[in-house]
Amino acid sequence: MEATTKQFRKRNAILTCLRGTMLHPSAEMVYEMLQETNPDISLATVYRNLALFRSQGLIQSLGTVNGSERFDADTHPHVHFVCTECGAVMDLPQVEPPLSLGAAAEESTGCQVQGCQLTFTGLCGSCKSKMKEETS
Amino acid sequence: MEATTKQFRKRNAILTCLRGTMLHPSAEMVYEMLQETNPDISLATVYRNLALFRSQGLIQSLGTVNGSERFDADTHPHVHFVCTECGAVMDLPQVEPPLSLGAAAEESTGCQVQGCQLTFTGLCGSCKSKMKEETS
DNA sequence: ATGACTGCAAAGACTTTGCATCTTT
DNA sequence: AAAGATGCAAAGTCTTTGCAGTCAT
């Protein structure tokens, strides 16, 4: 089985890491999370495999938060919240992505819509609390 | 008037440039567009003033497209389309941003929503045509 | 004089790439 | 032997910053 051979052990570790976290991590974050189980992994390998997975459609990029690209193993269309204070990214499964609007966009512009990204920004719960403390 | 003094001439040129284009340009693009009228401007000045304008709420960032941050002088909530092929960014004024969903997000997560960004991705008209030519 | 804006070059942060090595077939 | 995966270090982009010079009050 591919997963167990030495050749693909690190590649699999990266994908497994991404699939097992809710943090929507950056390459660096994946690298750090893997230190425990794969202390000999290289950051270049993380970057290379993330690029590979994305080209295969196994993962998607959420764009850049505070200078670093963030990745998500969930490729279904769904909505995100990004904390502008600490950079935390979380899913908003309660909110429905307005995919239907894509058709309207196509009609009016002649573009071919392939993806839709809805992101809310603001303060996460803990940063909101911190702000309150500081002002009080 | 501030605009006419030498001290603010470049700062104003940058803001004016941004307000007068639909391209949602990057810092580099602004720099290049200004070459004609301000050939002695520095790229650092463009970066510095874009950061200033953003901190003042005069402009907003759309995030990163192909590695470069893109800016928009229109700070009203509105929807964008990004061409994944050529990096073109355009407004979709026909599509209404789903601001109302923000309240739902706040309730269910305890976050404080401050902004909302809806972006459709795909192929713009001209890239769509090019793709067709290549396959035919 | 003092504070503000700019250019230039250096530094910084994030990401990609070339090359040698090791693994699998 | 050939193709693929990885580590390391170098290179590449984009962006920020320190400093000296200039402008305005």
Side-chain angles (χ1 to χ4, degrees), chain B residues 51-127:
Chain B
L52 175 69
F53 297 150
R54 174 167 41 187
S55 76
Q56 294 174 331
L58 290 175
I59 67 173
Q60 68 170 135
S61 163
L62 304 182
T64 294
V65 176
N66 292 339
S68 299
E69 190 158 21
R70 303 287 285 266
F71 299 91
D72 191 342
D74 182 357
T75 58
H76 296 88
H78 61 287
V79 180
H80 291 110
F81 176 85
V82 175
C83 177
T84 52
E85 189 68 16
C86 67
V89 178
M90 55 196 85
D91 292 326
L92 291 181
Q94 315 84 2
V95 181
E96 200 66 22
L99 299 176
S100 56
L101 297 180
E106 279 194 343
E107 265 180 54
S108 52
T109 62
C111 298
Q112 179 178 336
V113 172
Q114 295 171 331
C116 162
Q117 225 170 285
L118 175 57
T119 304
F120 290 95
T121 56
L123 298 176
C124 70
S126 77
C127 287

